[in-house]
């Protein structure tokens, strides 16, 4: 490809939105509108005939490189498959603290875990595993969290009392059901 | 990207710490770290932190004190053949070497970062598939293992954790005042929860002492080691 | 290009971050690891010899398409994308220590840097460049920190071993300084 076509490819790749022709002109002050149009055409032809997974499209008054629609399904499937929806160890610990100490405020959880848990609480809330169950009487009346029915369902528990007591835990863990 | 963290912004003409300044002085003097002329370097260090307005920074002052201490130790008379004599500079030299080595890694990282900054990743990102579509893979053993981790994490008594949590004396004062607003007297357990953390207990204790000092309440115990009780101070009430 | 190379290109274009090999493999369940490696090589060669504005690089256990450095200035001038902020010397020093000594606690970092690093650790955590990786067995069970995949990504490292080894540095590392 010509240097101008390469520059356009890099710029359109890096841009987060369709780029109008006037803005593309700012990339190279020496390029005439005709040269710019030719370079765009060169890039489009390269993508269309060179056998690429992407294409150059004119969209919303500008130019943009997009993945070819025939690949989107495979890409989404791969993203889901390769990112199993497991909770991180940190998220599990936060969930465990909430399960055993509910209702509990964010500050108290952070006190136990020693790190900020703002993002973690958001994830657990989005997942429906916890919910806001009230407000503390303390200063600033912080939100209190507790586990939900989704939580019980997820762990196949009939009610919270089915969770082992802290002193039974060592035994429950030793009974061979340890995760790898 | 807007930058909100001051500490992250490049400090062009500042030193990243006392060791950085010290290393710069040594480089300017063109002397070996392993044979640093302490008296001269100490003097320059003091001058420099004064002119840079770093004379208030604890870390720089600490280093200045250390340099002066080493300088004094170097002046102590000693016989050349004295056995067991340890160079008073040894620890400082070790730290300087370690720091210099780390600066070498920093130079490397800076080059890598500059190289990476000079390239753009894809700017337009199509919306990712909604993760909720995928079922959560979770099991009870996993949760219990997490509980176990948390327990092991918290069951070890650590007195150091007390200081890691700032005391909330003001909050405790507010609680005590509220109790005394409603009643003439109160007991320890009215203001401290049974399962209170050490920092909470300490907060209340300090708050009670502070209010007693200010004359807002009277503290008493009905018997030795009995529960602490407190009441509105009649004098302050009258005032 | 082969269909698999086209699919890889499409998937890599759809991500702003390095795509892990497992996710690329999930794009086509029938593709063998060898076929995958060949297709990646095909794509890289296409970018390198076909005269493109972008290139394929391996970063942090994954693959990423990045613009070629020679176009950066023009793209930034045209305001189509902006370079991320530089890191301060203090941030780089802290990262360097963590990268080499991980898992490492705050006190040890402060010992080497000669300054307090509490605020800096918080910033690096927020930036995702480091993470809490455990707790030390020592007194007070202090938190231990390590670098993340975001760190590798932002420094375009394939893995930590790409950093110079201790014996490649002008000054030898203090032996036995590693935490247990």
């Amino acid at each position: 490809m010509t240097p101008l076509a390469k520059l356009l490819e890099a710029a359109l790749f890096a841009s987060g939105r369709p780029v109008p022709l006037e803005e593309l002109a700012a990339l190279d002050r020496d390029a005439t509108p005709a040269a710019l149009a030719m370079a765009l055409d060169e890039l489009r032809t390269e993508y269309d005939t060179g056998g690429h997974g992407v294409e150059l499209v004119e969209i919303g008054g500008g130019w943009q490189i997009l993945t070819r629609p025939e690949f989107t399904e495979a890409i989404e499937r791969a993203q889901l498959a390769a990112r199993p929806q497991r909770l991180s160890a940190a998220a599990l610990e936060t969930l465990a603290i909430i399960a055993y100490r509910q209702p509990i405020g964010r500050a108290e959880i952070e006190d136990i875990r020693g790190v900020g848990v703002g993002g973690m609480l958001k994830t657990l809330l989005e997942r429906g595993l916890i919910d806001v169950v009230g407000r503390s009487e303390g200063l600033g009346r912080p939100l209190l969290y507790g586990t939900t029915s989704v939580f019980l369902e997820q762990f196949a528990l009939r009610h919270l009392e089915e969770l082992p007591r802290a002193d039974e835990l060592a035994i429950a863990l030793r009974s061979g059901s340890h995760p790898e | 990207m807007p930058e909100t963290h001051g500490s992250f912004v490049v400090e062009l003409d500042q030193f990243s710490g006392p060791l950085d300044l010290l290393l710069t002085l040594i480089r300017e003097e063109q002397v070996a770290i392993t044979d640093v002329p302490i008296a001269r370097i100490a003097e320059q260090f003091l001058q420099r932190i004064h002119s840079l307005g770093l004379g208030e920074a604890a870390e720089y002052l600490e280093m200045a004190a250390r340099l002066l201490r080493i300088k004094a130790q170097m002046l102590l008379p000693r016989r050349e053949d004295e056995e067991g004599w340890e160079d008073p500079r040894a620890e400082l030299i070790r730290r300087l070497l370690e720091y210099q080595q780390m600066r070498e890694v920093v130079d490397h990282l800076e080059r890598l970062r500059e190289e990476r900054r000079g390239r753009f990743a894809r700017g337009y990102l199509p919306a990712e598939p909604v993760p909720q579509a995928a079922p959560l893979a979770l099991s009870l053993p996993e949760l219990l293992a997490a509980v176990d981790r948390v327990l092991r994490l918290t069951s070890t008594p650590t007195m150091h954790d007390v200081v890691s949590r700032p005391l909330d004396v003001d909050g405790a004062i507010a609680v005590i005042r509220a109790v005394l607003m409603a009643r003439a007297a109160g007991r320890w357990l009215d203001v401290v929860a049974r399962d209170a953390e050490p920092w909470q207990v300490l907060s209340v204790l300090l708050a009670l002492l502070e209010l007693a000092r200010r004359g807002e309440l009277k503290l008493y115990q009905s018997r030795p080691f009995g529960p602490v009780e407190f009441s509105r101070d009649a004098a302050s009430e009258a005032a």
Side-chain angles (χ1 to χ4, degrees), chain A, chain B:
Chain A
M1 289 202 287
T2 58
L4 188 55
K6 282 160 61 170
L7 174 57
L8 289 182
E9 183 183 42
L12 290 173
F13 175 84
S15 168
R17 56 190 168 81
V19 186
L21 206 60
E22 313 84 72
E23 289 185 50
L24 287 176
L27 285 165
D28 183 353
R29 297 277 173 215
D30 300 332
T32 62
L36 218 55
M38 259 178 66
L40 278 170
D41 207 49
E42 190 188 345
L43 187 59
R44 176 163 51 188
T45 311
E46 163 67 27
Y47 286 156
D48 288 350
T49 62
H52 279 271
V54 294
E55 60 184 339
L56 182 63
V57 291
E58 199 177 357
I59 195 171
W63 293 88
Q64 189 166 32
I65 303 173
L66 293 175
T67 57
R68 289 186 185 276
E70 63 257 44
F71 298 120
T72 36
E73 207 192 308
I75 294 169
E76 287 195 2
R77 207 166 357 95
Q79 283 176 347
L80 283 180
R83 294 173 204 167
Q85 296 304 307
R86 306 185 76 86
L87 289 179
S88 65
L92 270 171
E93 286 173 26
T94 306
L95 187 59
I97 293 168
I98 295 171
Y100 278 81
R101 302 280 287 265
Q102 58 190 307
I104 184 173
R106 172 171 164 174
E108 203 183 339
I109 303 170
E110 291 180 340
D111 214 33
I112 296 172
R113 291 215 52 234
V115 289
V117 295
M120 212 87 72
L121 288 176
K122 193 163 162 284
T123 307
L124 295 174
L125 280 166
E126 278 168 6
R127 281 295 186 164
L129 291 165
I130 63 166
D131 209 348
V132 174
V133 295
R135 273 177 185 276
S136 155
E137 291 300 316
L139 220 63
R141 308 212 62 210
L143 297 174
L144 294 174
Y145 300 92
T147 54
T148 62
S149 59
V150 174
F151 168 84
L152 293 177
E153 199 178 302
Q154 190 69 54
F155 293 100
L157 295 166
R158 267 171 305 172
H159 38 74
L160 274 175
E161 286 67 39
E162 277 193 350
L163 279 175
R165 290 200 317 273
D167 53 357
E168 295 168 343
L169 207 61
I171 301 150
L173 285 168
R174 239 181 282 127
S175 63
S177 52
H178 214 69
E180 58 285 333
Chain B
M1 201 190 307
E3 185 51 65
T4 48
H5 308 288
S7 54
F8 234 75
V9 179
V10 192
E11 305 134 21
L12 273 179
D13 40 20
Q14 267 208 334
F15 295 94
S16 63
L19 287 166
D20 190 16
L21 172 55
L22 205 51
L23 210 55
T24 305
L25 292 174
I26 291 170
R27 210 171 288 135
E28 282 172 10
E29 283 285 299
Q30 295 188 313
V31 292
I33 290 177
T34 47
D35 195 24
V36 51
I38 278 294
R40 196 157 75 238
I41 291 293
E43 192 183 316
Q44 289 182 0
F45 189 87
L46 285 170
Q47 273 173 16
R48 198 66 76 91
I49 63 172
H50 182 70
S51 65
L52 287 173
L54 294 170
E56 302 284 305
E59 288 137 350
Y60 288 87
L61 289 177
E62 200 182 305
M63 177 59 75
R66 185 189 307 259
L67 291 173
L68 293 175
R69 201 162 55 237
I70 297 172
K71 179 182 159 189
Q73 284 168 343
M74 294 291 282
L75 293 174
L76 291 177
R78 69 172 203 270
R79 288 197 310 275
E80 278 306 312
D81 57 344
E82 194 176 341
E83 262 181 49
W85 181 78
E86 204 191 331
D87 192 329
R89 302 171 299 179
E91 171 63 12
L92 182 68
I93 289 169
R94 181 195 67 74
R95 288 189 66 189
L96 278 170
L97 287 174
E98 186 175 57
Y99 185 78
Q100 195 189 34
Q101 178 197 55
M102 189 269 299
R103 292 296 311 206
E104 212 180 319
V105 175
V106 164
D107 290 344
H108 188 80
L109 282 179
E110 204 159 21
R111 271 196 305 278
L112 290 177
R113 169 77 175 163
E114 268 313 285
E115 248 172 67
R116 178 59 188 82
R117 276 184 75 235
R119 296 142 169 272
F120 294 116
R122 173 72 158 153
Y124 169 75
L125 298 175
E128 288 215 2
V130 188
Q132 271 79 352
L136 260 181
L138 278 183
S139 69
L140 191 55
E142 263 182 305
L143 180 73
L144 296 182
V147 175
D148 186 52
R149 282 200 301 277
V150 173
L151 283 178
R152 271 188 284 126
L153 205 133
T154 47
S155 60
T156 322
T158 49
M159 283 172 278
H160 301 263
D161 278 354
V162 176
V163 284
S164 73
R165 183 69 162 80
L167 298 180
D168 184 14
V169 179
D170 288 342
I173 284 179
V175 170
I176 295 163
R177 279 193 180 136
V179 167
L180 287 181
M181 203 100 80
R183 301 201 299 265
R187 285 165 309 154
W188 175 254
L189 282 175
D190 293 333
V191 285
V192 183
R194 275 180 197 281
D195 56 354
E197 305 275 355
W199 68 269
Q200 290 168 315
V201 176
L202 268 179
S203 301
V204 172
L205 193 59
L206 290 176
L208 284 172
L209 293 173
E210 173 63 17
L211 289 176
R213 192 185 62 79
R214 291 188 202 166
E216 287 191 43
L217 56 76
K218 266 187 176 157
L219 280 173
Y220 50 89
Q221 272 174 309
S222 51
R223 56 191 156 85
F225 308 111
V228 175
E229 297 178 37
F230 55 88
S231 65
R232 280 183 224 154
D233 192 312
S236 81
E237 219 175 26

